Amino acid sequence: MFIIRWVLGRIILFLNFVFAPKKLKRPAEEQQKIDNATSNMTIYEYKACPFCVKVRRSLRRQGLNIVTLDAKQEPHKSTLLNGGGKLQVPCMKIEENGQSTWMYESSEIIGFLDKKFV
């Protein structure tokens, strides 16, 4: 099973590389405003997870520079588990006013970003 998952993961990464969407180009001032607005957001992911790839492709299409962290590595794994309550990816952490909100599900994350930045 490990070998099958590894091979499928590499196929997903290769296809994502070959068919990567174009990054949205904005004027520098507008991009800086959006970068400031996304500075409080972090995405926890696995590189070869198809749902994580879906979120990364959406980030690229929208031209969003949100930090992505590999949830398989410590201390990111324990941060995700302790803060969000479960080890599920993709997960977006949003920090506002000293409070952290953990958003799971790729469609929910993409919908939130579409509403906020498009």
Side-chain angles (χ1 to χ4, degrees), residues 76-88 91 101-104:
H76 310 306
K77 182 178 182 177
S78 58
T79 301
L80 177 60
L81 190 57
N82 294 334
K86 54 186 172 179
L87 192 59
Q88 177 184 334
C91 178
T101 303
W102 298 83
M103 186 179 300
Y104 293 92

Side-chain angles (χ1 to χ4, degrees), residues 37-83:
T38 60
S39 65
N40 64 334
M41 299 177 189
T42 307
I43 300 219
Y44 292 84
E45 65 172 4
Y46 297 152
K47 291 294 180 196
C49 165
F51 300 104
C52 298
V53 169
K54 178 180 172 184
V55 170
R56 282 197 311 266
R57 290 175 66 84
S58 177
L59 292 176
R60 184 168 174 84
R61 244 188 317 279
Q62 294 182 38
L64 302 177
N65 298 317
I66 297 177
V67 175
T68 58
L69 302 174
D70 187 355
K72 288 186 178 181
Q73 298 179 358
E74 290 294 340
H76 310 306
K77 182 178 182 177
S78 58
T79 301
L80 177 60
L81 190 57
N82 294 334

Side-chain angles (χ1 to χ4, degrees), residues 3 11-12 14 18-19 26 40 43 45-46 48 65 69 80 82 84-85 92 107 110-111 118:
I3 294 171
I11 291 170
I12 289 169
F14 175 73
V18 171
F19 299 108
R26 293 187 180 93
N40 64 334
I43 300 219
E45 65 172 4
Y46 297 152
N65 298 317
L69 302 174
L80 177 60
N82 294 334
M92 184 167 69
S107 297
I110 292 168
V118 173

Side-chain angles (χ1 to χ4, degrees), residues 12-27:
I12 289 169
L13 291 173
F14 175 73
L15 291 174
N16 182 52
F17 174 76
V18 171
F19 299 108
K22 291 186 179 186
K23 189 171 185 178
L24 180 65
K25 304 275 186 187
R26 293 187 180 93

